[in-house]
Amino acid sequence: VPECANSLQIYAKDKLSCQMVELFEECQQQDSDLARKELCRTRLQKDIQSVFGVARLYLTGSSMNGLGCRSSDADMCLVIKGNKKPDPIHVLSVLQRLFKSLPYVERTHLIRAKVPILRFKEKGSDLEFDLNINNTVGIRNTFLLRSYAYADLRIRPMILVVKKWARHNRINDASKGTLSSYTLVLMVLHYLQTLKEPVLPSLQRDYPDYFYPFMDIDMVPEGPKHIPPYRSRNESSLGELLLGFLKYYATDFRWDRQVISVREAKALPKNNSQTWRNKFICVEEPFERNNVARAVHEKMKFDAIKAEFAESYRILQDRKDLNSILPVRTII
Ligand code: ATP
Ligand code: MG
């Protein structure tokens, strides 16, 4: 039995909480998964440096933030330092040509989004990559999320279950107008920060030097190593927290008036600025302070998201069985 399962026992004395621990243990990214991604990163960085000499490749997203599962893709950021900013589409086009000549890469595909990405696969496996150019905020927030993920034992199982629940209920796809995984994670952290007895603090407030927004990017991965676990007085079980999370967004949170700020560990009043005006869901990016939930721009999708919180809360409150909102066996 893994050590973390033992220590998690104190938060898993009821059936629902046990089911959450079980799902977490089955699905969480394994060391071997990360090692595969890291090996690919090293090879890619070496091949990329034959064209862009000083470029550095960073793994980001759920592969690195402690919130990944076995099937998670590998998000990456290529950092090219220099006086003039390179055009991301140009760089990605050059990389696309290079990648077509690499024996361990296949299905290279350029996506011209607000943050353009090159999507590709490792040949002969299911491992998928999303690579961006110089979107360094993704490196900063990956290590902020990683610090939250390890601040309390309950965070990783809680978030993994919420991500699986959202995906199962088709509200976890920003390209289809619903919530990105990143948005969901910030929503969970916000709930845990604003409980009467908080499970999490604001790490940006408590450790400003480790999360200084303009820190040299090479130093960013160091931060989390120095942060001790947070000692919360909240002893709620995993099941209680999951139920509370659904309830918070089903009944307490005021979507029309409040902005979720993990940076400040509270809900901020919505003002009339460009960023928040006419937006259905407002979730502040902890470093850039823009809206990470701007993909939710259709009333229909917004209503579907709220309905899912309400319906799942109603069912789970009644049944206290994870299978009632997420058929665990079909997911593992
Ligand atoms: P999954 O396991 O589902 O792949 P993920 O944690 O990788 O989840 P994504 O939503 O795919 O989450 O985002 C990957 C990473 O990209 C995030 O961890 C974050 O670093 C960055 N990111 C995503 N959306 C934004 C955004 N709106 N602003 C800034 N950074 C973002
Ligand atoms: Mg990802």
Coordinates of all heavy atoms in Angstrom, one line a residue, residues 12-99:
A12 N -10.6 9.4 5.2 CA -11.3 8.5 4.4 C -11.9 7.4 5.3 O -11.7 6.2 5.1 CB -10.5 7.9 3.3
K13 N -12.7 7.8 6.3 CA -13.3 6.8 7.2 C -14.8 6.5 6.7 O -15.4 5.6 7.3 CB -13.3 7.4 8.6 CG -11.9 7.5 9.2 CD -11.9 7.3 10.7 CE -10.7 7.6 11.4 NZ -9.4 7.3 10.8
D14 N -15.3 7.2 5.7 CA -16.6 6.8 5.2 C -16.5 6.3 3.8 O -15.5 6.5 3.1 CB -17.5 8.1 5.2 CG -16.8 9.3 4.5 OD1 -15.9 9.9 5.0 OD2 -17.2 9.6 3.4
K15 N -17.6 5.7 3.3 CA -17.6 5.1 2.0 C -17.2 6.0 0.8 O -16.3 5.7 0.0 CB -18.9 4.4 1.7 CG -19.1 3.8 0.3 CD -20.4 3.0 0.2 CE -20.9 3.0 -1.2 NZ -22.3 2.6 -1.3
L16 N -17.9 7.2 0.8 CA -17.6 8.1 -0.3 C -16.2 8.5 -0.4 O -15.5 8.5 -1.4 CB -18.5 9.4 -0.2 CG -18.3 10.5 -1.1 CD1 -18.5 10.1 -2.6 CD2 -19.3 11.7 -0.8
S17 N -15.6 8.8 0.8 CA -14.2 9.2 0.8 C -13.3 8.1 0.4 O -12.3 8.3 -0.3 CB -13.8 9.7 2.3 OG -14.7 10.7 2.7
C18 N -13.6 6.9 0.8 CA -12.8 5.7 0.4 C -12.8 5.6 -1.1 O -11.8 5.3 -1.8 CB -13.3 4.4 1.0 SG -12.9 4.3 2.7
Q19 N -14.0 5.7 -1.7 CA -14.1 5.6 -3.2 C -13.3 6.7 -3.9 O -12.7 6.4 -4.9 CB -15.6 5.9 -3.6 CG -16.5 4.7 -3.1 CD -18.0 5.0 -3.4 OE1 -18.5 6.1 -3.2 NE2 -18.7 4.0 -4.0
M20 N -13.2 7.9 -3.2 CA -12.3 8.9 -3.8 C -10.9 8.6 -3.8 O -10.1 8.7 -4.7 CB -12.6 10.3 -3.1 CG -14.0 10.8 -3.4 SD -14.4 12.3 -2.4 CE -13.3 13.5 -3.1
V21 N -10.4 8.0 -2.6 CA -9.0 7.6 -2.5 C -8.7 6.5 -3.5 O -7.7 6.5 -4.2 CB -8.7 7.1 -1.1 CG1 -7.3 6.5 -1.0 CG2 -8.8 8.3 -0.1
E22 N -9.6 5.6 -3.7 CA -9.4 4.5 -4.6 C -9.3 5.0 -6.0 O -8.4 4.6 -6.7 CB -10.6 3.5 -4.5 CG -10.4 2.1 -5.0 CD -11.6 1.2 -4.6 OE1 -12.0 1.2 -3.4 OE2 -12.1 0.6 -5.5
L23 N -10.2 5.8 -6.4 CA -10.1 6.4 -7.8 C -8.8 7.1 -8.0 O -8.1 7.0 -9.0 CB -11.3 7.3 -8.0 CG -11.4 7.9 -9.4 CD1 -11.5 6.8 -10.5 CD2 -12.6 8.9 -9.5
F24 N -8.4 7.9 -7.0 CA -7.1 8.7 -7.0 C -6.0 7.7 -7.2 O -5.1 7.9 -8.1 CB -7.0 9.5 -5.8 CG -5.6 10.1 -5.5 CD1 -5.1 11.1 -6.4 CD2 -4.9 9.7 -4.5 CE1 -3.9 11.6 -6.2 CE2 -3.6 10.3 -4.3 CZ -3.1 11.2 -5.2
E25 N -5.9 6.7 -6.4 CA -4.8 5.7 -6.4 C -4.7 5.0 -7.8 O -3.6 4.7 -8.3 CB -4.9 4.7 -5.3 CG -4.8 5.2 -3.9 CD -3.4 5.8 -3.6 OE1 -2.5 5.4 -4.4 OE2 -3.2 6.5 -2.6
E26 N -5.9 4.7 -8.4 CA -5.9 4.1 -9.7 C -5.5 5.0 -10.8 O -4.9 4.5 -11.8 CB -7.3 3.5 -10.0 CG -7.8 2.5 -9.0 CD -7.3 1.1 -9.4 OE1 -6.7 1.0 -10.5 OE2 -7.4 0.2 -8.6
C27 N -5.9 6.2 -10.7 CA -5.7 7.1 -11.9 C -4.5 8.0 -11.9 O -4.1 8.6 -12.9 CB -7.0 8.0 -12.0 SG -8.4 7.1 -12.4
Q28 N -4.0 8.3 -10.7 CA -2.9 9.3 -10.6 C -1.7 9.0 -11.5 O -1.4 7.8 -11.7 CB -2.5 9.6 -9.2 CG -1.8 8.4 -8.6 CD -1.0 8.8 -7.3 OE1 -0.4 9.9 -7.2 NE2 -1.1 8.0 -6.3
Q29 N -1.1 10.0 -12.1 CA 0.1 9.8 -12.9 C 1.1 9.0 -12.1 O 1.4 9.3 -10.9 CB 0.6 11.1 -13.3 CG 1.9 11.1 -14.1 CD 2.4 12.4 -14.6 OE1 2.1 12.8 -15.7 NE2 3.2 13.1 -13.8
Q30 N 1.8 8.0 -12.7 CA 2.8 7.2 -12.1 C 4.2 7.8 -12.4 O 4.4 8.6 -13.4 CB 2.8 5.8 -12.6 CG 1.4 5.1 -12.5 CD 1.1 4.8 -11.0 OE1 1.8 4.2 -10.3 NE2 -0.1 5.4 -10.5
D31 N 5.2 7.5 -11.6 CA 6.5 7.9 -11.8 C 7.0 7.5 -13.2 O 7.7 8.3 -13.9 CB 7.5 7.3 -10.8 CG 7.3 7.9 -9.4 OD1 6.5 8.9 -9.3 OD2 7.8 7.4 -8.4
S32 N 6.6 6.3 -13.6 CA 7.0 5.8 -15.0 C 6.4 6.7 -16.1 O 7.0 6.9 -17.1 CB 6.6 4.4 -15.1 OG 5.2 4.2 -15.0
D33 N 5.2 7.2 -15.9 CA 4.5 8.1 -16.9 C 5.4 9.4 -17.0 O 5.6 9.8 -18.1 CB 3.1 8.4 -16.5 CG 2.2 7.2 -16.3 OD1 2.4 6.2 -17.0 OD2 1.3 7.3 -15.4
L34 N 5.7 9.9 -15.8 CA 6.5 11.2 -15.9 C 7.9 10.9 -16.5 O 8.3 11.8 -17.3 CB 6.6 11.7 -14.4 CG 7.4 13.0 -14.3 CD1 6.8 14.1 -15.2 CD2 7.5 13.5 -12.9
A35 N 8.5 9.8 -16.2 CA 9.8 9.5 -16.7 C 9.7 9.4 -18.3 O 10.6 9.9 -18.9 CB 10.3 8.2 -16.2
R36 N 8.7 8.9 -18.8 CA 8.5 8.8 -20.3 C 8.4 10.2 -20.9 O 9.0 10.5 -21.9 CB 7.2 8.1 -20.6 CG 7.3 6.7 -21.0 CD 7.0 6.3 -22.5 NE 5.8 6.7 -23.1 CZ 4.6 6.3 -22.6 NH1 4.4 5.5 -21.5 NH2 3.5 6.7 -23.2
K37 N 7.6 11.1 -20.2 CA 7.5 12.4 -20.7 C 8.8 13.2 -20.6 O 9.2 13.9 -21.5 CB 6.4 13.2 -19.8 CG 5.0 12.6 -20.1 CD 4.0 13.2 -19.1 CE 2.6 12.6 -19.4 NZ 1.6 13.1 -18.4
E38 N 9.5 13.0 -19.5 CA 10.8 13.7 -19.3 C 11.8 13.2 -20.3 O 12.6 14.0 -20.8 CB 11.2 13.4 -17.9 CG 12.5 14.0 -17.4 CD 12.6 15.5 -17.6 OE1 11.6 16.2 -17.5 OE2 13.7 16.0 -17.9
L39 N 11.8 11.9 -20.7 CA 12.7 11.4 -21.7 C 12.4 12.1 -23.0 O 13.3 12.5 -23.8 CB 12.6 9.9 -21.8 CG 13.6 9.2 -22.7 CD1 15.0 9.3 -22.1 CD2 13.3 7.7 -22.8
C40 N 11.2 12.2 -23.4 CA 10.8 12.8 -24.6 C 11.2 14.3 -24.6 O 11.7 14.8 -25.6 CB 9.2 12.8 -24.8 SG 8.7 11.5 -25.9
R41 N 11.0 15.0 -23.5 CA 11.3 16.4 -23.4 C 12.8 16.6 -23.6 O 13.2 17.5 -24.4 CB 11.0 16.9 -22.0 CG 11.2 18.4 -21.8 CD 11.4 18.9 -20.4 NE 12.6 18.3 -19.8 CZ 13.8 18.8 -20.0 NH1 14.0 19.9 -20.7 NH2 14.9 18.2 -19.4
T42 N 13.7 15.7 -23.0 CA 15.1 15.8 -23.2 C 15.5 15.6 -24.7 O 16.3 16.4 -25.2 CB 15.8 14.7 -22.4 OG1 15.2 14.7 -21.1 CG2 17.3 15.0 -22.3
R43 N 14.9 14.6 -25.3 CA 15.3 14.4 -26.8 C 14.8 15.5 -27.6 O 15.5 16.0 -28.5 CB 14.5 13.1 -27.3 CG 15.1 11.8 -26.8 CD 14.1 10.7 -27.0 NE 14.5 9.8 -28.0 CZ 13.8 8.8 -28.5 NH1 12.5 8.6 -28.1 NH2 14.2 7.9 -29.4
L44 N 13.6 16.0 -27.4 CA 13.0 17.1 -28.1 C 13.9 18.4 -28.0 O 14.2 19.1 -28.9 CB 11.6 17.4 -27.7 CG 10.5 16.4 -28.3 CD1 9.2 16.6 -27.5 CD2 10.3 16.6 -29.8
Q45 N 14.3 18.7 -26.7 CA 15.1 19.9 -26.5 C 16.4 19.8 -27.2 O 16.8 20.8 -27.9 CB 15.3 20.0 -25.0 CG 16.2 21.2 -24.7 CD 16.3 21.5 -23.2 OE1 15.5 22.3 -22.6 NE2 17.3 21.0 -22.5
K46 N 17.0 18.6 -27.3 CA 18.2 18.5 -28.0 C 18.0 18.7 -29.5 O 18.8 19.4 -30.1 CB 18.8 17.1 -27.7 CG 20.2 16.9 -28.2 CD 20.9 15.7 -27.4 CE 22.2 15.3 -28.1 NZ 21.9 14.6 -29.4
D47 N 17.0 18.1 -30.0 CA 16.7 18.3 -31.5 C 16.3 19.7 -31.8 O 16.7 20.2 -32.9 CB 15.6 17.3 -31.9 CG 16.2 15.8 -32.0 OD1 17.3 15.7 -32.5 OD2 15.5 14.9 -31.6
I48 N 15.6 20.3 -30.9 CA 15.2 21.7 -31.2 C 16.4 22.7 -31.1 O 16.5 23.6 -31.9 CB 14.1 22.2 -30.1 CG1 12.8 21.4 -30.4 CG2 13.9 23.7 -30.2 CD1 11.7 21.6 -29.3
Q49 N 17.3 22.4 -30.3 CA 18.5 23.2 -30.1 C 19.4 23.2 -31.4 O 20.2 24.1 -31.6 CB 19.3 22.8 -28.9 CG 18.7 23.4 -27.6 CD 19.3 22.9 -26.3 OE1 20.1 22.0 -26.3 NE2 19.0 23.6 -25.2
S50 N 19.2 22.2 -32.3 CA 19.9 22.2 -33.6 C 19.4 23.3 -34.5 O 20.1 23.7 -35.4 CB 19.8 20.8 -34.3 OG 18.4 20.7 -34.7
V51 N 18.2 23.9 -34.2 CA 17.6 25.0 -34.9 C 17.6 26.3 -34.1 O 18.0 27.3 -34.6 CB 16.2 24.7 -35.4 CG1 15.7 25.8 -36.3 CG2 16.1 23.3 -36.1
F52 N 17.1 26.2 -32.9 CA 17.1 27.3 -32.0 C 18.1 27.0 -30.8 O 17.7 26.4 -29.8 CB 15.7 27.6 -31.4 CG 14.7 27.8 -32.5 CD1 13.9 26.8 -33.0 CD2 14.5 29.1 -33.1 CE1 12.9 27.0 -34.0 CE2 13.6 29.3 -34.1 CZ 12.8 28.3 -34.5
G53 N 19.3 27.5 -31.0 CA 20.4 27.1 -30.2 C 20.2 27.3 -28.7 O 20.6 26.4 -27.9
V54 N 19.6 28.4 -28.3 CA 19.5 28.7 -26.8 C 18.1 28.3 -26.2 O 17.8 28.6 -25.1 CB 19.8 30.2 -26.5 CG1 21.3 30.4 -26.8 CG2 18.9 31.1 -27.3
A55 N 17.3 27.7 -27.0 CA 15.9 27.4 -26.5 C 15.9 26.4 -25.4 O 16.8 25.5 -25.4 CB 15.1 26.9 -27.7
R56 N 15.0 26.6 -24.5 CA 14.8 25.6 -23.4 C 13.4 25.1 -23.3 O 12.5 25.9 -23.5 CB 15.2 26.2 -22.0 CG 16.7 26.3 -21.9 CD 17.1 26.4 -20.4 NE 16.6 25.2 -19.6 CZ 16.8 25.1 -18.3 NH1 17.4 26.0 -17.6 NH2 16.4 24.0 -17.7
L57 N 13.2 23.8 -23.1 CA 11.9 23.2 -23.1 C 11.5 22.8 -21.7 O 12.3 22.2 -21.0 CB 12.0 21.9 -24.0 CG 10.7 21.3 -24.5 CD1 9.8 22.4 -25.2 CD2 11.0 20.2 -25.5
Y58 N 10.3 23.3 -21.3 CA 9.8 23.0 -19.9 C 8.5 22.1 -20.0 O 7.6 22.4 -20.8 CB 9.4 24.3 -19.2 CG 10.6 25.1 -18.8 CD1 11.2 26.0 -19.8 CD2 11.1 25.1 -17.5 CE1 12.3 26.8 -19.4 CE2 12.2 25.9 -17.2 CZ 12.8 26.7 -18.1 OH 13.9 27.5 -17.8
L59 N 8.4 21.1 -19.2 CA 7.1 20.4 -19.0 C 6.3 21.3 -18.1 O 6.7 21.8 -17.1 CB 7.4 19.1 -18.3 CG 7.5 17.8 -19.2 CD1 7.9 16.7 -18.3 CD2 6.3 17.5 -20.0
T60 N 5.0 21.4 -18.4 CA 4.1 22.2 -17.6 C 2.8 21.4 -17.4 O 2.7 20.3 -17.8 CB 3.7 23.6 -18.3 OG1 3.0 23.4 -19.5 CG2 5.0 24.4 -18.5
G61 N 1.7 22.1 -16.9 CA 0.4 21.5 -16.8 C 0.4 20.3 -15.8 O 1.3 20.2 -15.0
S62 N -0.6 19.4 -16.0 CA -0.8 18.4 -15.0 C 0.3 17.4 -14.9 O 0.4 16.7 -13.9 CB -2.1 17.7 -15.3 OG -2.1 17.1 -16.5
S63 N 1.2 17.3 -16.0 CA 2.3 16.4 -15.9 C 3.2 16.8 -14.7 O 3.9 16.0 -14.1 CB 3.1 16.4 -17.1 OG 2.3 16.3 -18.3
M64 N 3.3 18.1 -14.4 CA 4.2 18.6 -13.5 C 3.6 19.2 -12.2 O 4.3 19.4 -11.2 CB 5.0 19.8 -14.1 CG 6.1 19.4 -15.1 SD 7.2 18.2 -14.4 CE 8.3 19.3 -13.5
N65 N 2.3 19.5 -12.2 CA 1.7 20.2 -11.1 C 1.2 19.2 -10.0 O 0.6 19.7 -9.0 CB 0.7 21.2 -11.5 CG -0.6 20.6 -12.2 OD1 -0.8 19.4 -12.0 ND2 -1.3 21.4 -12.9
G66 N 1.3 17.9 -10.2 CA 0.9 17.0 -9.2 C -0.6 16.6 -9.3 O -1.1 15.8 -8.5
L67 N -1.2 17.1 -10.4 CA -2.7 16.9 -10.5 C -3.0 16.1 -11.8 O -4.1 16.2 -12.3 CB -3.4 18.3 -10.6 CG -3.1 19.1 -9.3 CD1 -3.6 20.6 -9.6 CD2 -3.7 18.5 -8.1
G68 N -2.0 15.3 -12.3 CA -2.2 14.6 -13.5 C -2.7 13.2 -13.3 O -2.5 12.6 -12.2
C69 N -3.3 12.6 -14.3 CA -3.6 11.2 -14.3 C -2.9 10.5 -15.3 O -2.2 11.1 -16.2 CB -5.1 11.0 -14.3 SG -6.0 11.9 -15.6
R70 N -3.0 9.2 -15.3 CA -2.1 8.3 -16.2 C -2.4 8.7 -17.7 O -1.5 8.6 -18.5 CB -2.5 6.9 -16.0 CG -2.2 6.4 -14.6 CD -1.7 5.0 -14.6 NE -0.4 4.9 -15.3 CZ 0.3 3.8 -15.4 NH1 -0.2 2.7 -14.9 NH2 1.4 3.7 -16.0
S71 N -3.6 9.2 -18.0 CA -3.9 9.5 -19.4 C -3.7 11.0 -19.8 O -4.0 11.4 -20.9 CB -5.4 9.1 -19.7 OG -6.2 9.8 -18.8
S72 N -3.2 11.8 -18.8 CA -3.0 13.2 -19.1 C -2.0 13.4 -20.2 O -1.0 12.7 -20.3 CB -2.5 13.9 -17.9 OG -3.5 14.0 -16.9
D73 N -2.2 14.5 -21.0 CA -1.3 14.8 -22.1 C -0.1 15.5 -21.4 O -0.1 15.8 -20.2 CB -1.9 15.7 -23.1 CG -2.3 17.1 -22.5 OD1 -2.2 17.3 -21.3 OD2 -2.7 18.0 -23.3
A74 N 0.9 15.8 -22.2 CA 2.1 16.5 -21.7 C 2.1 17.9 -22.3 O 2.3 18.0 -23.5 CB 3.4 15.8 -22.1
D75 N 1.9 18.9 -21.5 CA 1.9 20.3 -22.0 C 3.4 20.7 -21.9 O 4.1 20.4 -20.9 CB 1.0 21.2 -21.1 CG -0.4 20.7 -21.1 OD1 -1.1 20.9 -22.2 OD2 -0.9 20.2 -20.1
M76 N 3.8 21.5 -22.8 CA 5.2 22.0 -22.8 C 5.3 23.4 -23.3 O 4.5 23.9 -24.1 CB 6.1 21.1 -23.7 CG 6.2 19.7 -23.2 SD 7.6 18.8 -24.0 CE 7.1 18.9 -25.6
C77 N 6.3 24.1 -22.7 CA 6.6 25.5 -23.2 C 8.0 25.6 -23.6 O 8.9 25.2 -22.9 CB 6.3 26.4 -22.0 SG 6.7 28.2 -22.3
L78 N 8.2 26.1 -24.9 CA 9.5 26.3 -25.4 C 9.9 27.8 -25.1 O 9.2 28.7 -25.6 CB 9.6 26.0 -26.9 CG 11.0 26.1 -27.4 CD1 11.9 25.0 -26.9 CD2 11.0 26.2 -29.0
V79 N 10.9 28.0 -24.3 CA 11.3 29.4 -24.0 C 12.5 29.7 -24.8 O 13.6 29.1 -24.8 CB 11.7 29.5 -22.5 CG1 12.2 30.9 -22.1 CG2 10.5 29.1 -21.6
I80 N 12.3 30.8 -25.7 CA 13.4 31.3 -26.5 C 13.6 32.8 -26.0 O 12.8 33.6 -26.2 CB 13.0 31.3 -28.0 CG1 12.5 29.9 -28.4 CG2 14.1 31.8 -28.8 CD1 12.1 29.8 -29.9
K81 N 14.8 32.9 -25.3 CA 15.1 34.3 -24.8 C 15.8 35.1 -25.9 O 16.4 34.5 -26.8 CB 16.0 34.1 -23.6 CG 15.3 33.6 -22.4 CD 16.2 33.7 -21.1 CE 15.4 33.2 -19.9 NZ 16.3 33.0 -18.7
G82 N 15.6 36.4 -25.8 CA 16.3 37.2 -26.8 C 15.7 38.6 -26.8 O 14.8 38.9 -26.1
N83 N 16.3 39.5 -27.5 CA 15.9 40.9 -27.5 C 14.6 41.1 -28.2 O 13.7 41.8 -27.7 CB 16.9 41.8 -28.1 CG 18.2 41.9 -27.3 OD1 18.1 41.7 -26.1 ND2 19.3 42.1 -27.9
K84 N 14.4 40.5 -29.4 CA 13.1 40.7 -30.0 C 12.3 39.4 -29.9 O 12.8 38.3 -30.0 CB 13.3 41.1 -31.5 CG 14.0 40.2 -32.4 CD 14.0 40.8 -33.8 CE 14.1 39.9 -35.0 NZ 14.8 38.7 -35.0
K85 N 11.0 39.6 -29.7 CA 10.1 38.5 -29.5 C 9.8 37.7 -30.7 O 9.4 38.3 -31.7 CB 8.7 39.0 -29.0 CG 8.7 39.4 -27.5 CD 7.3 39.5 -27.0 CE 7.2 39.8 -25.5 NZ 6.3 40.8 -25.1
P86 N 10.1 36.4 -30.7 CA 9.8 35.6 -32.0 C 8.3 35.5 -32.2 O 7.5 35.5 -31.2 CB 10.5 34.3 -31.7 CG 10.5 34.2 -30.2 CD 10.6 35.6 -29.6
D87 N 7.9 35.4 -33.4 CA 6.5 35.1 -33.8 C 6.2 33.6 -33.5 O 6.8 32.8 -34.2 CB 6.2 35.5 -35.2 CG 4.9 35.0 -35.7 OD1 4.0 34.8 -34.9 OD2 4.7 34.9 -36.9
P88 N 5.3 33.3 -32.6 CA 5.1 31.9 -32.2 C 4.7 31.0 -33.4 O 5.1 29.9 -33.5 CB 3.9 32.0 -31.2 CG 3.9 33.4 -30.7 CD 4.5 34.2 -31.7
I89 N 3.8 31.6 -34.3 CA 3.4 30.8 -35.4 C 4.6 30.5 -36.3 O 4.7 29.3 -36.8 CB 2.3 31.6 -36.3 CG1 1.0 31.7 -35.5 CG2 2.0 30.9 -37.6 CD1 0.1 30.5 -35.4
H90 N 5.5 31.4 -36.5 CA 6.7 31.2 -37.3 C 7.5 30.1 -36.7 O 7.9 29.1 -37.4 CB 7.5 32.5 -37.5 CG 8.8 32.2 -38.1 ND1 8.9 31.9 -39.5 CD2 10.1 32.2 -37.6 CE1 10.2 31.7 -39.7 NE2 10.9 31.8 -38.6
V91 N 7.8 30.2 -35.4 CA 8.6 29.2 -34.7 C 8.0 27.8 -34.8 O 8.6 26.8 -35.1 CB 8.8 29.6 -33.2 CG1 9.6 28.5 -32.5 CG2 9.6 30.9 -33.1
L92 N 6.6 27.8 -34.6 CA 6.0 26.5 -34.6 C 6.0 25.9 -36.0 O 6.0 24.6 -36.2 CB 4.5 26.6 -34.1 CG 4.4 26.9 -32.6 CD1 2.9 27.1 -32.2 CD2 5.0 25.8 -31.7
S93 N 5.9 26.7 -37.0 CA 6.0 26.2 -38.4 C 7.3 25.5 -38.7 O 7.4 24.5 -39.3 CB 5.8 27.3 -39.5 OG 4.6 28.0 -39.1
V94 N 8.4 26.2 -38.2 CA 9.7 25.7 -38.3 C 9.8 24.3 -37.6 O 10.4 23.3 -38.1 CB 10.8 26.7 -37.8 CG1 12.2 26.0 -37.8 CG2 10.8 27.9 -38.7
L95 N 9.3 24.3 -36.4 CA 9.3 23.1 -35.6 C 8.5 21.9 -36.2 O 8.9 20.8 -36.2 CB 8.8 23.3 -34.2 CG 9.7 24.2 -33.2 CD1 9.0 24.3 -31.9 CD2 11.1 23.7 -33.1
Q96 N 7.4 22.3 -36.8 CA 6.6 21.3 -37.5 C 7.4 20.6 -38.6 O 7.3 19.4 -38.7 CB 5.3 22.0 -38.1 CG 4.3 21.0 -38.7 CD 3.0 21.7 -39.0 OE1 2.9 22.9 -39.3 NE2 1.9 20.9 -39.0
R97 N 8.1 21.4 -39.3 CA 8.9 20.8 -40.4 C 10.0 19.9 -39.8 O 10.2 18.8 -40.2 CB 9.6 21.9 -41.3 CG 9.4 21.6 -42.8 CD 10.0 22.7 -43.6 NE 9.7 24.1 -43.1 CZ 10.7 25.0 -43.1 NH1 11.9 24.7 -43.4 NH2 10.4 26.2 -42.6
L98 N 10.7 20.4 -38.7 CA 11.7 19.6 -38.0 C 11.1 18.3 -37.5 O 11.7 17.2 -37.7 CB 12.3 20.4 -36.9 CG 13.2 19.7 -35.9 CD1 14.5 19.3 -36.6 CD2 13.5 20.5 -34.6
F99 N 10.0 18.4 -36.9 CA 9.4 17.2 -36.2 C 9.0 16.1 -37.2 O 9.0 14.9 -36.9 CB 8.1 17.6 -35.4 CG 8.4 18.3 -34.1 CD1 9.7 18.8 -33.8 CD2 7.5 18.5 -33.1 CE1 10.0 19.4 -32.6 CE2 7.7 19.2 -31.9 CZ 9.0 19.6 -31.7

